[in-house]
Amino acid sequence: MDGITSQFNSQFELESGYAAARVKVRRAGVRVWDLPTRVFHGSLLACVSGAVISAQLGGNWMDWHVRFGAATAGLLVFRIVWGFVGPRYARFRSFVHAPRTVLADLFKRGGERHAGHSPSGGASVLALLSVLTALTLSGLLSSDSISTDGALVRYASESTVTAATSLHHKLQWVIYALVGLHVLAVLAYLLLKKIDLIRPMLHGDKPGLRAPHAADTLSVRVVGLGLMFSSVTGAVWLLRA
Amino acid sequence: MVASLCIPGLAAAESATEKAIRARQSSYYLMGQQMARISATLKGDAAFDKAALETSAEAVDLIGRLVLDYYPAGSDQGSTKAKPEIWKETPRFKQMAQALQAESAKLKAAVHGGDLDAIKAAFGATSKSCKACHDAFRVQ
C-alpha cells in the first residue's frame, strides 16, 4: 500500500473512528467502477454461467437456457449504452485502444497502474462483449432440433438456422477460452504483480492511485440500474421461447 | 449409358443410401413436430388436448423405433449430419437409441395418465436422450 492510502486511512481512523467506516471505505482509493457497472459484471457472470449449465443439462432446462441467454442479451444492450453514456472508466472511449497500444501494453514490463482498464484489459472486455453478442444473436436463430428454438427461428430459412446453430455451438469454445484468459489475467495480477483487481470490481475502489473518481452518485445508480433492469426484463419477455 | 444420361428420370434415380437418408431425416422432422406439439401444451401455448397429446407421444415412440432401420452402412456419406461414429461405435449408438425408446415409452405412459407434471418430467427426460445422441453422433 502506498503512502497516500495509508495516510488517508490513518487520518480517518484518528478523526472519525468506526462511525465513519463507510466513508473510510469510499476514501480507500479512487472510485473506478460505478455500482451499475459492478452489478452488470456480477449479473453477466451469473447469466452466462446459468446459460452454460442449463445447456449442458438439456431437457426441460433448455427453457432456462433461453431465459439466461435473453437476460444476457439485455445485459449486453445495457453495457453497450453504458459504454457511451456511463461514468468515465465504463466508457469505451476510455478503454478501447488501437491494436499497437494493446500489444505494447502486453509486452511491456513493469507495473504501470491504470485507474480503469489497462489497454490489454480493455481489449479483453471488448472481445468478451463481442463474442457474447455473437453468441446471443446466433442463439436467437438456433434450434436444438428437439423442442427448443430461438425466438427468430420461425422467421429464418432452414439453412440459416443450421449455420447459426453451428456457429452458436462453436462460439461456446471461444467464450470458454476468453473467460479462462480473463480469470488467469486477474490471478496473474494478484499473485505476480500483487495488484488486486477483484475487490475493486466488488466495492468499486482502487487504492493507491491519483486519478479522478468515476461518477457513482445516486442519480447515476438509479439511471444505470433502471436501464439495466428494463433491458433485461424486456429481453427476457420479448425473446421467450 | 448415353441414353440414361439423357433421361432425367434415370439420371436422378435415388440410390438406396439417399433413400435411407431421406427416410431418417423425414422421420426426425416428423418426430420434432410432435415434440413441438407436446412442448406447446406444456408451455401453455396450446390448449390441453389429451387425445392429441396421446397421438403425438405415440408417434414419437414409434418413430424412435422405426428410424433405426434407416442407418445402412455407408449412409454417413451424402447430405447428412450423421457422424461416421454411428457405424464405428454401433453398440453405443444402439444403447442410446434404446435409452430414447425407454424414455419415449415413459412419455407415452405419462400422457395416457394425463398428469401434466408427470408429462413434463417424461418430456424432459425424452429430450435429454435426444440431446445425448445429438451430442455424440450428430454434426452440430
Side-chain angles (χ1 to χ4, degrees), chain A residues 55 57 59-60 63 145 162 169, chain B residues 43 120 124 128 131 138 140:
Chain A
L57 290 173
N60 291 335
D63 294 350
S145 304
T162 303
H169 277 109
Chain B
K43 283 180 184 158
K120 181 153 192 178
K128 278 190 181 187
K131 176 183 158 55
R138 188 174 191 258
Q140 301 272 12

Side-chain angles (χ1 to χ4, degrees), chain A residues 173-189:
Chain A
W173 303 107
V174 181
I175 201 68
Y176 297 158
L178 286 176
V179 170
L181 199 62
H182 178 67
V183 171
L184 279 179
V186 169
L187 288 178
Y189 263 85

